[in-house]
């Protein structure tokens, strides 16, 4: 295992306020965020109150009910989104730097997140121009149906810490393209790029009140958004547990919900796979974003005929992975989000050992030299994990891969589907029958074949089972933020019902 160089000592503490109705303003309370690789404070966020949330909701409500944004042409909204994408491109390096420092992810990944986010904004700009309703002119003479798509209203967005900008960008530009107004509540650990986005939206000419950001805790600000009767839709990304709390809090207002929740994806390796590509892919699936990824390929399901040889290659490659400080250009893996999370991961590995698993590599904390004091964990591979072990089912959200062997396609499908989650899975096979037939039997919103954690703005993503419901990205991601209205028109006189 190699470790690499130290943090950037020139970092200043960035200060952020609440962004409400076109004005950035301080809050009564603040929180500080330290880079989890160095312990150095990098940002100060406003801790919004329930009253701040209410003000932001009122601004978004007023803009939606009587402002210009929902009434603009798609072309005008598209032009705004193109300007926003341009400003994000101008500030890309700054945004990546903030993202890496606050979340602990390697700068190389943070740059990927920023360019992915820009791609989503540009795609949403194209949808603002091209999406439209439908006309039914085949209902018989004198009867015409218009199926219109209206913006669904004021949208609350609550996001987690693992991909702060990218997950916001899976929601915000699509909602704006549709004509909605928004109040966002980012994770209190990684709020920087969400407030930066609000600043850029303003610079790009978004009217005041269309996009508001209230930073602060989930139990205060998030809860206020969930309960509000003035919010029409809540779009949440985070854990299944918090998602359930939000659903219950939102129930009395009957608001529309979109839930992007946890996952426990499998990488299924068949004997006829390109084993070199599969080795790289399986490792990428579990180590991408230091394993702090909802679609992380945390479970390897490998055919028994190739298992030993495949694992030998996988372990050897895992030992060459470079863990480094978030701003280290050469780091493949970064720091974990917070100390409690790191300890939870270690406890889950200890539990796996108790349940009979064998740790093939890793399993410990890293802290030598430039990593001293940071929250770093070795890439870890845990073999002999049976479906009755807790680690087979629970989200670990760290660089930990479990290994389970199978002998038939039916068994592989059964193991993959045996968890409560259904966000994504990956299949490695060069046999089209095996690959496609397996893909069709997996219960997850996404299946990757001979690739993993891949994507494009045109392709929707989301969960089934306890991974939630609703889709983000693609045309489906735009439609989430629209309400269908049917307008039925009779021209001429309809056959009367009453006989007198
Ligand atoms: P989390 O604990 O569920 O928090 C997510 C967001 O919800 C945060 O902004 C949090 O605020 C807020 N929140 C907490 N309690 C709340 C409440 N009572 N009411 C309203 N909002 C509340 O998730 P996390 O730890 O940040 O992120 C990791 C989880 O997200 C994992 O389970 C992962 O699988 C999931 N995830 C899913 C996807 C997907 O697309 N399906 C993508 C990424 C991550 P605070 O600032 O107080 O924490
Ligand atoms: Mg949390």
């Amino acid at each position: 295992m190699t470790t690499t160089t130290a943090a950037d000592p020139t970092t200043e503490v960035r200060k952020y306020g609440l962004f409400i109705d076109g004005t950035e303003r301080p809050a009564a309370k603040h929180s500080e965020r330290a880079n989890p690789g160095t312990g150095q404070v990098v940002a100060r966020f406003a801790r919004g109150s329930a009253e701040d949330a209410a003000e932001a909701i009122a601004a978004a409500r007023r803009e939606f009910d009587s402002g210009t944004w929902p009434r603009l042409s798609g072309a005008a909204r598209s032009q705004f989104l193109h300007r926003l994408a341009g400003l994000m491109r101008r500030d890309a390096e700054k945004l990546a730097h903030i993202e890496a420092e606050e979340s602990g992810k390697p700068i190389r990944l943070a740059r990927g997140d920023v360019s992915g986010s820009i791609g989503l904004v540009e795609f949403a700009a194209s949808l603002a121009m091209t999406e439209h309703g439908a006309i039914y002119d085949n209902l018989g003479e004198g009867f015409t149906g218009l199926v219109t798509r209206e913006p669904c209203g004021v949208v609350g967005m609550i996001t987690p810490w693992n991909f702060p900008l990218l997950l916001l960008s899976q929601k915000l530009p699509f909602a704006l393209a549709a004509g909605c107004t928004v109040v966002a509540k980012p994770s209190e650990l990684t709020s920087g790029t969400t407030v930066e986005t609000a600043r850029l939206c303003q610079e790009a000419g978004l009217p005041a009140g269309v996009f508001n950001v209230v930073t602060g805790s989930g139990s205060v600000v998030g809860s206020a958004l969930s309960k509000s009767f003035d919010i029409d839709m809540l779009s949440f990304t985070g854990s299944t547990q918090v998602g359930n709390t939000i659903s219950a809090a939102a129930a009395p207002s009957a608001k529309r919900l979109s839930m992007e929740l946890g996952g426990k994806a499998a990488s299924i390796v068949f004997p006829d796979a390109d084993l070199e590509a599969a080795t790289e892919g399986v490792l990428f699936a579990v180590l991408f974003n230091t394993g702090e990824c909802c679609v992380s390929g945390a479970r390897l399901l490998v055919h028994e005929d190739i298992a030993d040889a495949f694992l030998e290659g996988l372990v050897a490659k895992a030992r060459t992975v470079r863990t480094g400080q978030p701003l280290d250009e050469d780091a493949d893996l970064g720091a974990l989000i917070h100390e409690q999370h790191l300890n939870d991961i270690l406890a889950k590995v200890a539990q796996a050992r108790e349940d009979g698993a064998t740790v093939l590599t890793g399993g410990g904390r890293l802290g030598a030299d430039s990593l001293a004091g940071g929250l770093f964990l070795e890439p870890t591979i845990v073999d002999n994990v049976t479906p009755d072990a807790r680690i087979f089912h629970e989200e670990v959200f760290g660089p930990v891969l479990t290994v389970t062997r199978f002998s038939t396609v039916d068994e592989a499908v059964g193991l993959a589907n045996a968890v409560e989650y259904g966000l994504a899975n990956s299949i490695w096979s060069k046999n089209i029958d095996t690959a496609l037939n397996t893909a069709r039997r997996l219960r997850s919103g996404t299946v990757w074949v001979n690739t993993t954690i891949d994507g494009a703005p045109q392709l929707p993503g989301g969960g089934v089972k306890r991974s939630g419901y609703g889709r983000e990205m693609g045309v489906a991601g735009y439609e989430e933020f629209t309400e269908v209205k049917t307008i039925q028109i009779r021209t001429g006189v309809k056959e009367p019902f009453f006989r007198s």
Side-chain angles (χ1 to χ4, degrees):
M1 187 135 8
T2 23
T3 60
T4 44
T5 56
D8 177 358
T10 60
T11 301
E12 278 176 41
V13 177
R14 292 175 291 269
K15 298 191 175 62
Y16 295 103
L18 305 168
F19 207 101
I20 299 173
D21 205 7
T23 309
E24 190 170 344
R25 61 170 208 222
K29 295 182 185 163
H30 294 92
S31 66
E32 285 187 335
R33 175 63 181 160
N35 174 335
T38 62
Q40 188 182 6
V41 173
V42 292
R44 199 179 82 161
F45 304 126
R47 281 182 78 78
S49 63
E51 293 71 36
D52 294 322
E55 259 189 71
I57 294 166
R61 183 81 261 162
R62 188 204 61 230
E63 259 317 287
F64 187 78
D65 292 342
S66 53
T68 51
W69 188 252
R71 289 153 198 92
L72 281 178
S73 68
R77 289 201 288 262
S78 178
Q79 282 160 12
F80 159 78
L81 287 165
H82 280 298
R83 285 196 299 276
L84 175 62
L87 294 176
M88 290 171 77
R89 194 166 274 121
R90 179 197 71 191
D91 287 357
E93 191 57 25
K94 174 182 162 191
L95 293 168
H97 188 104
I98 295 168
E99 204 79 334
E101 281 195 327
E102 290 179 12
S103 74
K105 71 175 68 205
I107 184 75
R108 198 154 57 94
L109 265 63
R111 290 194 187 109
D113 289 0
V114 174
S115 65
S117 300
I118 296 168
L120 288 164
V121 174
E122 286 173 337
F123 176 61
S126 74
L127 294 178
M129 285 286 280
T130 53
E131 286 304 297
H132 56 81
I135 298 171
Y136 284 78
D137 54 1
N138 61 346
L139 308 176
E141 204 167 356
F143 190 21
T144 305
L146 309 182
V147 181
T148 66
R149 282 203 174 263
E150 300 181 346
C152 72
V154 177
V155 181
M157 297 180 178
I158 301 178
T159 48
W161 45 257
N162 55 344
F163 295 91
L165 183 65
L166 191 62
L167 296 178
L168 178 73
S169 302
Q170 289 183 190
K171 305 177 191 296
L172 178 68
F174 294 85
L176 293 179
C180 296
T181 63
V182 176
V183 181
K185 204 295 289 174
S187 163
E188 60 187 334
L189 302 175
T190 56
S191 306
T193 50
T194 303
V195 185
E196 296 282 354
T197 300
R199 293 174 182 170
L200 294 180
C201 282
Q202 190 168 47
E203 189 180 342
L206 193 68
V210 176
F211 179 44
N212 308 273
V213 179
V214 186
T215 51
S217 81
S219 56
V220 175
V221 181
S223 167
L225 297 182
S226 314
K227 287 183 202 149
S228 171
F229 277 67
D230 287 322
I231 286 187
D232 301 288
M233 172 179 177
L234 198 78
S235 175
F236 173 74
T237 303
S239 62
T240 298
Q241 193 191 351
V242 171
N244 289 342
T245 305
I246 289 175
S247 306
S253 60
K255 58 171 66 69
R256 179 198 287 231
L257 298 175
S258 164
M259 290 280 157
E260 297 284 330
L261 309 176
K264 190 73 184 179
S267 291
I268 309 174
V269 181
F270 289 100
D272 50 23
D274 172 342
L275 293 177
E276 202 178 317
T279 304
E280 158 84 16
V282 167
L283 212 55
F284 180 78
V286 67
L287 298 183
F288 175 68
N289 210 48
T290 322
E292 293 175 326
C293 182
C294 53
V295 292
S296 187
R299 297 180 298 148
L300 167 61
L301 307 178
V302 58
H303 193 278
E304 59 187 8
D305 289 353
I306 55 161
D308 290 339
F310 188 75
L311 285 174
E312 202 178 308
L314 200 66
V315 167
K317 198 170 172 68
R319 290 188 174 140
T320 67
V321 164
R322 298 170 75 92
T323 297
Q325 288 290 347
L327 297 184
D328 181 343
E329 294 288 342
D330 294 325
D332 300 321
L333 260 67
L336 293 162
I337 192 75
H338 54 65
E339 182 107 34
Q340 179 64 47
H341 184 50
L342 183 145
N343 291 331
D344 287 348
I345 297 171
L346 289 173
K348 283 176 179 163
V349 174
Q351 175 72 46
R353 276 200 175 99
E354 275 176 38
D355 290 343
T358 328
V359 176
L360 296 183
T361 187
R365 199 169 166 167
L366 289 168
D369 307 325
S370 66
L371 303 185
L375 305 175
F376 298 97
L377 212 54
E378 291 177 299
T380 301
I381 301 179
V382 183
D383 197 5
N384 301 316
V385 173
T386 55
D388 53 6
R390 274 177 66 175
I391 201 165
F392 187 86
H393 299 272
E394 284 180 357
E395 213 178 18
V396 175
F397 231 59
V400 179
L401 179 70
T402 68
V403 183
T404 308
R405 290 165 174 74
F406 67 84
S407 55
T408 64
V409 174
D410 282 352
E411 202 188 340
V413 169
L415 286 166
N417 287 341
V419 296
E420 289 184 330
Y421 295 115
L423 205 49
N425 288 292
S426 300
I427 295 167
W428 296 89
S429 169
K430 285 294 188 189
N431 181 313
I432 182 73
D433 295 11
T434 308
L436 190 55
N437 291 341
T438 306
R440 292 178 60 150
R441 293 172 66 190
L442 293 176
R443 289 207 64 210
S444 57
T446 298
V447 177
W448 286 293
V449 176
N450 297 323
T451 181
T452 195
I453 316 191
D454 215 338
Q458 297 92 323
L459 302 178
V464 300
K465 302 200 282 184
R466 295 196 67 211
S467 290
Y469 48 84
R471 290 294 178 268
E472 296 196 328
M473 304 176 290
V475 174
Y478 168 91
E479 289 178 345
E480 284 280 328
F481 295 107
T482 65
E483 200 73 76
V484 171
K485 179 185 279 176
T486 306
I487 301 175
Q488 305 186 13
I489 306 165
R490 288 277 175 186
T491 43
V493 181
K494 193 183 168 193
E495 178 82 11
F497 171 75
F498 298 105
R499 277 170 241 170
S500 59

mmCIF file with all atom_site columns, all heavy atoms in Angstrom, residues 475-489:
data_model
loop_
_atom_site.group_PDB
_atom_site.id
_atom_site.type_symbol
_atom_site.label_atom_id
_atom_site.label_alt_id
_atom_site.label_comp_id
_atom_site.label_asym_id
_atom_site.label_entity_id
_atom_site.label_seq_id
_atom_site.pdbx_PDB_ins_code
_atom_site.Cartn_x
_atom_site.Cartn_y
_atom_site.Cartn_z
_atom_site.occupancy
_atom_site.B_iso_or_equiv
_atom_site.pdbx_formal_charge
_atom_site.auth_seq_id
_atom_site.auth_comp_id
_atom_site.auth_asym_id
_atom_site.auth_atom_id
_atom_site.pdbx_PDB_model_num
ATOM 1   N N   . VAL A 1 475 ? -35.090 11.852 -18.924 1.00 0.00 ? 475 VAL A N   1
ATOM 2   C CA  . VAL A 1 475 ? -36.395 12.511 -19.065 1.00 0.00 ? 475 VAL A CA  1
ATOM 3   C C   . VAL A 1 475 ? -37.238 12.221 -17.819 1.00 0.00 ? 475 VAL A C   1
ATOM 4   O O   . VAL A 1 475 ? -37.963 13.080 -17.318 1.00 0.00 ? 475 VAL A O   1
ATOM 5   C CB  . VAL A 1 475 ? -37.098 12.037 -20.355 1.00 0.00 ? 475 VAL A CB  1
ATOM 6   C CG1 . VAL A 1 475 ? -38.516 12.594 -20.426 1.00 0.00 ? 475 VAL A CG1 1
ATOM 7   C CG2 . VAL A 1 475 ? -36.296 12.466 -21.577 1.00 0.00 ? 475 VAL A CG2 1
ATOM 8   N N   . ALA A 1 476 ? -37.100 10.982 -17.283 1.00 0.00 ? 476 ALA A N   1
ATOM 9   C CA  . ALA A 1 476 ? -37.869 10.610 -16.083 1.00 0.00 ? 476 ALA A CA  1
ATOM 10  C C   . ALA A 1 476 ? -37.543 11.548 -14.916 1.00 0.00 ? 476 ALA A C   1
ATOM 11  O O   . ALA A 1 476 ? -38.430 11.890 -14.121 1.00 0.00 ? 476 ALA A O   1
ATOM 12  C CB  . ALA A 1 476 ? -37.563 9.164  -15.692 1.00 0.00 ? 476 ALA A CB  1
ATOM 13  N N   . GLY A 1 477 ? -36.285 11.974 -14.821 1.00 0.00 ? 477 GLY A N   1
ATOM 14  C CA  . GLY A 1 477 ? -35.869 12.867 -13.739 1.00 0.00 ? 477 GLY A CA  1
ATOM 15  C C   . GLY A 1 477 ? -36.507 14.246 -13.866 1.00 0.00 ? 477 GLY A C   1
ATOM 16  O O   . GLY A 1 477 ? -36.758 14.926 -12.863 1.00 0.00 ? 477 GLY A O   1
ATOM 17  N N   . TYR A 1 478 ? -36.764 14.668 -15.096 1.00 0.00 ? 478 TYR A N   1
ATOM 18  C CA  . TYR A 1 478 ? -37.471 15.931 -15.337 1.00 0.00 ? 478 TYR A CA  1
ATOM 19  C C   . TYR A 1 478 ? -38.956 15.773 -14.998 1.00 0.00 ? 478 TYR A C   1
ATOM 20  O O   . TYR A 1 478 ? -39.560 16.608 -14.322 1.00 0.00 ? 478 TYR A O   1
ATOM 21  C CB  . TYR A 1 478 ? -37.270 16.332 -16.804 1.00 0.00 ? 478 TYR A CB  1
ATOM 22  C CG  . TYR A 1 478 ? -38.160 17.444 -17.282 1.00 0.00 ? 478 TYR A CG  1
ATOM 23  C CD1 . TYR A 1 478 ? -37.737 18.771 -17.191 1.00 0.00 ? 478 TYR A CD1 1
ATOM 24  C CD2 . TYR A 1 478 ? -39.404 17.191 -17.837 1.00 0.00 ? 478 TYR A CD2 1
ATOM 25  C CE1 . TYR A 1 478 ? -38.549 19.807 -17.639 1.00 0.00 ? 478 TYR A CE1 1
ATOM 26  C CE2 . TYR A 1 478 ? -40.226 18.204 -18.286 1.00 0.00 ? 478 TYR A CE2 1
ATOM 27  C CZ  . TYR A 1 478 ? -39.793 19.510 -18.176 1.00 0.00 ? 478 TYR A CZ  1
ATOM 28  O OH  . TYR A 1 478 ? -40.597 20.523 -18.611 1.00 0.00 ? 478 TYR A OH  1
ATOM 29  N N   . GLU A 1 479 ? -39.518 14.655 -15.454 1.00 0.00 ? 479 GLU A N   1
ATOM 30  C CA  . GLU A 1 479 ? -40.959 14.440 -15.248 1.00 0.00 ? 479 GLU A CA  1
ATOM 31  C C   . GLU A 1 479 ? -41.315 14.370 -13.763 1.00 0.00 ? 479 GLU A C   1
ATOM 32  O O   . GLU A 1 479 ? -42.437 14.708 -13.380 1.00 0.00 ? 479 GLU A O   1
ATOM 33  C CB  . GLU A 1 479 ? -41.415 13.171 -15.987 1.00 0.00 ? 479 GLU A CB  1
ATOM 34  C CG  . GLU A 1 479 ? -41.414 13.384 -17.491 1.00 0.00 ? 479 GLU A CG  1
ATOM 35  C CD  . GLU A 1 479 ? -41.809 12.146 -18.285 1.00 0.00 ? 479 GLU A CD  1
ATOM 36  O OE1 . GLU A 1 479 ? -41.820 11.044 -17.705 1.00 0.00 ? 479 GLU A OE1 1
ATOM 37  O OE2 . GLU A 1 479 ? -42.097 12.317 -19.482 1.00 0.00 ? 479 GLU A OE2 1
ATOM 38  N N   . GLU A 1 480 ? -40.366 13.933 -12.924 1.00 0.00 ? 480 GLU A N   1
ATOM 39  C CA  . GLU A 1 480 ? -40.598 13.895 -11.473 1.00 0.00 ? 480 GLU A CA  1
ATOM 40  C C   . GLU A 1 480 ? -41.055 15.252 -10.948 1.00 0.00 ? 480 GLU A C   1
ATOM 41  O O   . GLU A 1 480 ? -41.775 15.329 -9.966  1.00 0.00 ? 480 GLU A O   1
ATOM 42  C CB  . GLU A 1 480 ? -39.305 13.526 -10.729 1.00 0.00 ? 480 GLU A CB  1
ATOM 43  C CG  . GLU A 1 480 ? -38.917 12.086 -10.798 1.00 0.00 ? 480 GLU A CG  1
ATOM 44  C CD  . GLU A 1 480 ? -39.694 11.207 -9.821  1.00 0.00 ? 480 GLU A CD  1
ATOM 45  O OE1 . GLU A 1 480 ? -40.071 11.672 -8.727  1.00 0.00 ? 480 GLU A OE1 1
ATOM 46  O OE2 . GLU A 1 480 ? -39.917 10.052 -10.175 1.00 0.00 ? 480 GLU A OE2 1
ATOM 47  N N   . PHE A 1 481 ? -40.546 16.305 -11.557 1.00 0.00 ? 481 PHE A N   1
ATOM 48  C CA  . PHE A 1 481 ? -40.828 17.660 -11.059 1.00 0.00 ? 481 PHE A CA  1
ATOM 49  C C   . PHE A 1 481 ? -41.999 18.315 -11.797 1.00 0.00 ? 481 PHE A C   1
ATOM 50  O O   . PHE A 1 481 ? -42.177 19.523 -11.722 1.00 0.00 ? 481 PHE A O   1
ATOM 51  C CB  . PHE A 1 481 ? -39.569 18.532 -11.164 1.00 0.00 ? 481 PHE A CB  1
ATOM 52  C CG  . PHE A 1 481 ? -38.451 18.048 -10.279 1.00 0.00 ? 481 PHE A CG  1
ATOM 53  C CD1 . PHE A 1 481 ? -37.332 17.429 -10.820 1.00 0.00 ? 481 PHE A CD1 1
ATOM 54  C CD2 . PHE A 1 481 ? -38.540 18.183 -8.898  1.00 0.00 ? 481 PHE A CD2 1
ATOM 55  C CE1 . PHE A 1 481 ? -36.318 16.961 -9.990  1.00 0.00 ? 481 PHE A CE1 1
ATOM 56  C CE2 . PHE A 1 481 ? -37.530 17.718 -8.061  1.00 0.00 ? 481 PHE A CE2 1
ATOM 57  C CZ  . PHE A 1 481 ? -36.414 17.093 -8.613  1.00 0.00 ? 481 PHE A CZ  1
ATOM 58  N N   . THR A 1 482 ? -42.770 17.496 -12.502 1.00 0.00 ? 482 THR A N   1
ATOM 59  C CA  . THR A 1 482 ? -43.940 18.045 -13.199 1.00 0.00 ? 482 THR A CA  1
ATOM 60  C C   . THR A 1 482 ? -45.203 17.365 -12.691 1.00 0.00 ? 482 THR A C   1
ATOM 61  O O   . THR A 1 482 ? -45.176 16.252 -12.179 1.00 0.00 ? 482 THR A O   1
ATOM 62  C CB  . THR A 1 482 ? -43.853 17.831 -14.727 1.00 0.00 ? 482 THR A CB  1
ATOM 63  O OG1 . THR A 1 482 ? -43.893 16.437 -15.008 1.00 0.00 ? 482 THR A OG1 1
ATOM 64  C CG2 . THR A 1 482 ? -42.592 18.437 -15.306 1.00 0.00 ? 482 THR A CG2 1
ATOM 65  N N   . GLU A 1 483 ? -46.281 18.064 -12.852 1.00 0.00 ? 483 GLU A N   1
ATOM 66  C CA  . GLU A 1 483 ? -47.599 17.543 -12.495 1.00 0.00 ? 483 GLU A CA  1
ATOM 67  C C   . GLU A 1 483 ? -48.371 17.430 -13.805 1.00 0.00 ? 483 GLU A C   1
ATOM 68  O O   . GLU A 1 483 ? -48.346 18.344 -14.621 1.00 0.00 ? 483 GLU A O   1
ATOM 69  C CB  . GLU A 1 483 ? -48.262 18.575 -11.565 1.00 0.00 ? 483 GLU A CB  1
ATOM 70  C CG  . GLU A 1 483 ? -49.389 18.068 -10.731 1.00 0.00 ? 483 GLU A CG  1
ATOM 71  C CD  . GLU A 1 483 ? -48.935 17.163 -9.596  1.00 0.00 ? 483 GLU A CD  1
ATOM 72  O OE1 . GLU A 1 483 ? -48.418 17.680 -8.592  1.00 0.00 ? 483 GLU A OE1 1
ATOM 73  O OE2 . GLU A 1 483 ? -49.127 15.960 -9.721  1.00 0.00 ? 483 GLU A OE2 1
ATOM 74  N N   . VAL A 1 484 ? -49.034 16.304 -13.995 1.00 0.00 ? 484 VAL A N   1
ATOM 75  C CA  . VAL A 1 484 ? -49.816 16.124 -15.220 1.00 0.00 ? 484 VAL A CA  1
ATOM 76  C C   . VAL A 1 484 ? -51.194 16.740 -15.019 1.00 0.00 ? 484 VAL A C   1
ATOM 77  O O   . VAL A 1 484 ? -51.844 16.496 -14.006 1.00 0.00 ? 484 VAL A O   1
ATOM 78  C CB  . VAL A 1 484 ? -49.952 14.627 -15.558 1.00 0.00 ? 484 VAL A CB  1
ATOM 79  C CG1 . VAL A 1 484 ? -50.954 14.409 -16.696 1.00 0.00 ? 484 VAL A CG1 1
ATOM 80  C CG2 . VAL A 1 484 ? -48.591 14.041 -15.922 1.00 0.00 ? 484 VAL A CG2 1
ATOM 81  N N   . LYS A 1 485 ? -51.592 17.560 -15.952 1.00 0.00 ? 485 LYS A N   1
ATOM 82  C CA  . LYS A 1 485 ? -52.966 18.079 -15.937 1.00 0.00 ? 485 LYS A CA  1
ATOM 83  C C   . LYS A 1 485 ? -53.631 17.688 -17.245 1.00 0.00 ? 485 LYS A C   1
ATOM 84  O O   . LYS A 1 485 ? -53.032 17.800 -18.306 1.00 0.00 ? 485 LYS A O   1
ATOM 85  C CB  . LYS A 1 485 ? -52.975 19.605 -15.799 1.00 0.00 ? 485 LYS A CB  1
ATOM 86  C CG  . LYS A 1 485 ? -54.396 20.175 -15.812 1.00 0.00 ? 485 LYS A CG  1
ATOM 87  C CD  . LYS A 1 485 ? -54.405 21.682 -15.790 1.00 0.00 ? 485 LYS A CD  1
ATOM 88  C CE  . LYS A 1 485 ? -54.213 22.208 -14.374 1.00 0.00 ? 485 LYS A CE  1
ATOM 89  N NZ  . LYS A 1 485 ? -54.118 23.688 -14.365 1.00 0.00 ? 485 LYS A NZ  1
ATOM 90  N N   . THR A 1 486 ? -54.873 17.251 -17.150 1.00 0.00 ? 486 THR A N   1
ATOM 91  C CA  . THR A 1 486 ? -55.611 16.882 -18.350 1.00 0.00 ? 486 THR A CA  1
ATOM 92  C C   . THR A 1 486 ? -56.671 17.945 -18.617 1.00 0.00 ? 486 THR A C   1
ATOM 93  O O   . THR A 1 486 ? -57.453 18.274 -17.724 1.00 0.00 ? 486 THR A O   1
ATOM 94  C CB  . THR A 1 486 ? -56.294 15.518 -18.164 1.00 0.00 ? 486 THR A CB  1
ATOM 95  O OG1 . THR A 1 486 ? -55.299 14.574 -17.772 1.00 0.00 ? 486 THR A OG1 1
ATOM 96  C CG2 . THR A 1 486 ? -56.946 15.053 -19.440 1.00 0.00 ? 486 THR A CG2 1
ATOM 97  N N   . ILE A 1 487 ? -56.655 18.479 -19.797 1.00 0.00 ? 487 ILE A N   1
ATOM 98  C CA  . ILE A 1 487 ? -57.680 19.446 -20.201 1.00 0.00 ? 487 ILE A CA  1
ATOM 99  C C   . ILE A 1 487 ? -58.523 18.780 -21.292 1.00 0.00 ? 487 ILE A C   1
ATOM 100 O O   . ILE A 1 487 ? -57.996 18.393 -22.328 1.00 0.00 ? 487 ILE A O   1
ATOM 101 C CB  . ILE A 1 487 ? -57.036 20.753 -20.707 1.00 0.00 ? 487 ILE A CB  1
ATOM 102 C CG1 . ILE A 1 487 ? -56.155 21.368 -19.600 1.00 0.00 ? 487 ILE A CG1 1
ATOM 103 C CG2 . ILE A 1 487 ? -58.119 21.738 -21.173 1.00 0.00 ? 487 ILE A CG2 1
ATOM 104 C CD1 . ILE A 1 487 ? -55.372 22.591 -20.032 1.00 0.00 ? 487 ILE A CD1 1
ATOM 105 N N   . GLN A 1 488 ? -59.838 18.609 -21.004 1.00 0.00 ? 488 GLN A N   1
ATOM 106 C CA  . GLN A 1 488 ? -60.727 17.920 -21.942 1.00 0.00 ? 488 GLN A CA  1
ATOM 107 C C   . GLN A 1 488 ? -61.659 18.928 -22.580 1.00 0.00 ? 488 GLN A C   1
ATOM 108 O O   . GLN A 1 488 ? -62.343 19.672 -21.881 1.00 0.00 ? 488 GLN A O   1
ATOM 109 C CB  . GLN A 1 488 ? -61.537 16.851 -21.204 1.00 0.00 ? 488 GLN A CB  1
ATOM 110 C CG  . GLN A 1 488 ? -60.648 15.870 -20.442 1.00 0.00 ? 488 GLN A CG  1
ATOM 111 C CD  . GLN A 1 488 ? -61.441 14.735 -19.836 1.00 0.00 ? 488 GLN A CD  1
ATOM 112 O OE1 . GLN A 1 488 ? -62.625 14.530 -20.170 1.00 0.00 ? 488 GLN A OE1 1
ATOM 113 N NE2 . GLN A 1 488 ? -60.798 13.981 -18.959 1.00 0.00 ? 488 GLN A NE2 1
ATOM 114 N N   . ILE A 1 489 ? -61.667 18.942 -23.876 1.00 0.00 ? 489 ILE A N   1
ATOM 115 C CA  . ILE A 1 489 ? -62.414 19.979 -24.599 1.00 0.00 ? 489 ILE A CA  1
ATOM 116 C C   . ILE A 1 489 ? -63.431 19.343 -25.538 1.00 0.00 ? 489 ILE A C   1
ATOM 117 O O   . ILE A 1 489 ? -63.083 18.479 -26.342 1.00 0.00 ? 489 ILE A O   1
ATOM 118 C CB  . ILE A 1 489 ? -61.447 20.842 -25.444 1.00 0.00 ? 489 ILE A CB  1
ATOM 119 C CG1 . ILE A 1 489 ? -60.311 21.400 -24.563 1.00 0.00 ? 489 ILE A CG1 1
ATOM 120 C CG2 . ILE A 1 489 ? -62.203 21.978 -26.126 1.00 0.00 ? 489 ILE A CG2 1
ATOM 121 C CD1 . ILE A 1 489 ? -59.140 21.950 -25.361 1.00 0.00 ? 489 ILE A CD1 1
#
